[in-house]
Amino acid sequence: MRKLVLSLAVFASALTFAQHNQQNWCGFDQHNARLLEQYPGADQVIHETIMRSKEMGATSTGDRAVIGTVPVVVHVIHDGGSSNISYDQIVSAVDQLNEDYQRLNSDTVNTRNTAEAPFEPLASDMQLEFKLAKIDPNGNCTNGVQRRYSPNSTVNAGEDVKFYNSGGLDAWPRDSYLNIWVVESIETSGGGITLGYAQFPYFGQASTYGIVIRNDAFGTMGTAMSGDRTFTHEVGHCLGLFHTFQGGCSMSDCSSDGDYCCDTPPVLEAQWSCGTSQNTCTGIPTNDPYGFDAYDQFENYMSYSPCQNMFSEDQKTVVLGNFSGISWMADLISPANAIATGVNQADQLCKAEFSSTNTLICAGSTVDFTDESYFGITGYTWTFDGGTPATSTAPNPVVTYNTPGTYDVTLEVTDGVSNVITSKTAYVTVLDNPGVSLPYTENFEALTAIPDNQTWMVEDEDGLEPWALNIEFGSSGNQSAWLDNFAKTNGSKDHLMSGPIDLSVVDPSDNVVFTFKYAYNKRSASNDEWLQFYISNDCGESWVLRKNLHGNDLSTQTSIGPYDPAPEDWVEVEVTNINSTYYTSNFRYKFVFENDNGNNIYIDDINIYAGAMTDVDENIADNLSVYPNPVTNQMQISLDVYDTAIYTITLSNVLGQQVALVYQGEILAGQGQVSYDMSALPKGVYFLNIESNGVVKTTKVIKQ
């Protein structure tokens, strides 16, 4: 497996490749080294397979314009925004691939044919065709595109993107489809930007064979306006080609060393220039077809040059030999597979399908719908339960939802002869706006399930156990939110997301305090699992990290078996960095847990309140103290009273509801003392309210 790594400048134009510092931006060596460790002896397998393939490829070209069609499936992993690239952009990528592999590209005129660089006569039509599949592995119709909304997986993507259980999409069988995973960005090491990487056909898992590529390096439109040849380059690796600079300036037998292609002169290292007299290696390799020290072939698609426009005849021999000599590759381009994948079928109305910018919004917001039906659509009939408009005939309507609830969406399409319909039940969830008022508390005691799609929502990357309601263990009662995380090892993230809370009434000069409790033990001391806390001021369209707990900060305790918390295990966390830009009517928060072969985690007793709720009015009393605080049973209240007066002291919960009358009567001037037994009250946060002559003083009390 290899990676093409380029600097940030790639976004402006393909020509910006030439502006990079000349250093090793390719991650192939590191990635290939890891694979060679995983598959001992694979380097010898590569050598022997290429040598056999060259023998078979030399006699397999024939006279046909196209010797085989490669069915393609594109898995789009996106965040709901521009990374969810259009079908037209995907088609443009396949069109560009066909132009380059059949030498129909418009820049063939730039292939040099000079005395020192006689490359144009050796530029090759690979005789390969690529088409999006029209039948999926289950025999159902498809347009060759799968999509998955997975915001965390599309960023810094790696091999996990190739598996549904880790937030991606599973590969379709490699002997029937060429798998492409399109993402927002790709993980890299050592700086730079990874545009794409591919796995060789010679060794490795069948489930990971294919290409991972950034959406801005895929196609010639949409997010990929530069039209660079990253996709062409990566497909070359996928079909068995090395870089032209493989092996550097080796002067040994070019037919069995370097990139195994004698008509691509040796190159010292990766180059990003197009100097017509560039020659980084001196000498003539054994079996060199030129008979002299030829210039570097920067035109080659397997170089890093911005002037790529050709494959060579020897590269064609390797690729076609692989399609002849590797059995599953032969199956891939067989006539039987063309029928099974439907690549040569005429377009016909097949399926009604759509996507949207989001499916979870606050009341008053809009949803942008995009038609993804295929093929030959001439008319649309949309029905939006609860939306405005309620119906539409536009291909991509924008709909407003004003009333909280969960709503169905239906799309019927026609090609003028027949109709196809699809309905998605409970597709759009609309939350309250404004949300729940302060003070806010959640002890999970009143809930019957998580998620309920109003108070709590979940995202489950791996499709296994999501956050759920636990009815056995709680901090202040018998219930909590929990994640069954025992021995989960795939590094996926699970999200527990709140409904909206109305913070718009908080004075911008005031502070908001957020507290919660959690209980967690590791499974082993080496576990490094993460609990993260995020907030949003736009109903969850964007999130900002506000708290990180992981490793020993999360817990130093271990439990060999599945962890169930004891009463003393609960840890309270206070978040104080929620600034006034988040004082909106649709504030939301979420907890995100990332697993690492660890153990279960529980969350309970969530409270949000404004700092003003604990302000002291100096006109009533001074030196107010409550102790112990937190209190277990008996609470002692001490205060200095200015004037003898009638006082009413009460306890209220975070919803503002009075839960106890602590004292009512006269308190003499001087230092007053009041005791109260809180043992009958459940654990949680309370507010002690001292009122006299219409003035109230409040302070926070925690019952544990």
Side-chain angles (χ1 to χ4, degrees), residues 44-281:
Q44 185 63 27
V45 171
I46 293 173
H47 174 78
E48 293 174 356
T49 305
I50 292 179
M51 296 304 292
R52 287 195 304 269
S53 293
K54 290 179 66 175
E55 292 180 7
M56 302 185 72
T59 59
S60 65
T61 57
D63 297 325
R64 289 174 291 165
V66 174
I67 61 96
T69 299
V70 179
V72 175
V73 57
V74 178
H75 311 282
V76 181
I77 314 299
H78 64 91
D79 62 4
S82 61
S83 60
N84 189 19
I85 60 175
S86 70
Y87 181 75
D88 288 341
Q89 181 174 339
I90 293 170
V91 170
S92 77
V94 177
D95 287 345
Q96 183 189 42
L97 201 63
N98 283 318
E99 290 176 0
D100 291 348
Y101 275 78
Q102 296 174 34
R103 196 157 170 75
L104 299 173
N105 45 303
S106 61
D107 52 358
T108 57
V109 295
N110 297 328
T111 308
R112 288 172 295 168
N113 189 17
T114 65
E116 297 84 2
F119 302 137
E120 191 277 333
L122 297 172
S124 177
D125 167 11
M126 285 281 196
Q127 295 182 270
L128 289 173
E129 185 175 31
F130 299 84
K131 291 184 177 181
L132 290 166
K134 292 183 180 177
I135 300 175
D136 71 14
N138 297 318
N140 301 315
C141 70
T142 180
N143 62 353
V145 180
Q146 277 194 310
R147 299 176 188 269
R148 183 175 183 186
Y149 173 76
S150 187
N152 293 294
S153 299
T154 193
V155 177
N156 294 326
E159 292 297 88
D160 285 351
V161 81
K162 299 177 179 179
F163 301 95
Y164 189 89
N165 284 347
S166 55
L169 285 166
D170 294 335
W172 291 6
R174 70 172 178 177
D175 58 354
S176 300
Y177 307 89
L178 176 60
N179 287 271
I180 317 295
W181 288 269
V182 179
V183 297
E184 178 69 19
S185 62
I186 301 173
E187 64 181 355
T188 188
S189 59
I193 287 179
T194 304
L195 292 182
Y197 70 92
Q199 179 174 310
F200 278 137
Y202 306 118
F203 68 103
Q205 297 179 12
S207 59
T208 58
Y209 176 75
I211 296 163
V212 178
I213 190 167
R214 287 170 59 114
N215 66 77
D216 54 7
F218 185 70
T220 58
M221 60 179 296
T223 63
M225 295 299 292
S226 69
D228 71 75
R229 267 31 188 273
T230 300
F231 189 32
T232 300
H233 180 105
E234 299 305 336
V235 170
H237 288 319
C238 220
L239 301 184
L241 296 179
F242 281 103
H243 289 130
T244 55
F245 49 84
Q246 181 73 22
C249 291
S250 172
M251 294 297 125
S252 60
D253 188 344
C254 56
S255 66
S256 59
D257 192 21
D259 69 348
Y260 291 80
C261 298
C262 287
D263 56 5
T264 61
V267 181
L268 174 62
E269 59 188 0
Q271 302 290 322
W272 290 271
S273 63
C274 300
T276 55
S277 60
Q278 176 179 294
N279 187 10
T280 57
C281 293

Side-chain angles (χ1 to χ4, degrees), residues 459-462 467 482-486 488 490-496 518-522 527-534 549-551 554 590-603:
E459 280 185 12
D460 178 24
E461 283 188 1
D462 59 12
W467 285 94
W482 82 303
L483 185 64
D484 185 356
N485 178 62
F486 182 72
K488 289 174 71 173
N490 57 20
S492 67
K493 296 181 179 180
D494 287 274
H495 302 240
L496 176 64
Y518 75 88
Y520 165 80
N521 273 9
K522 297 181 177 183
N527 296 148
D528 187 15
E529 300 191 304
W530 291 73
L531 178 64
Q532 298 176 312
F533 175 76
Y534 291 82
L549 295 167
H550 74 102
L554 195 58
K590 70 175 178 179
F591 300 97
V592 179
F593 188 84
E594 181 177 340
N595 71 61
D596 178 38
N597 197 25
N599 221 318
N600 304 332
I601 186 166
Y602 303 75
I603 289 177

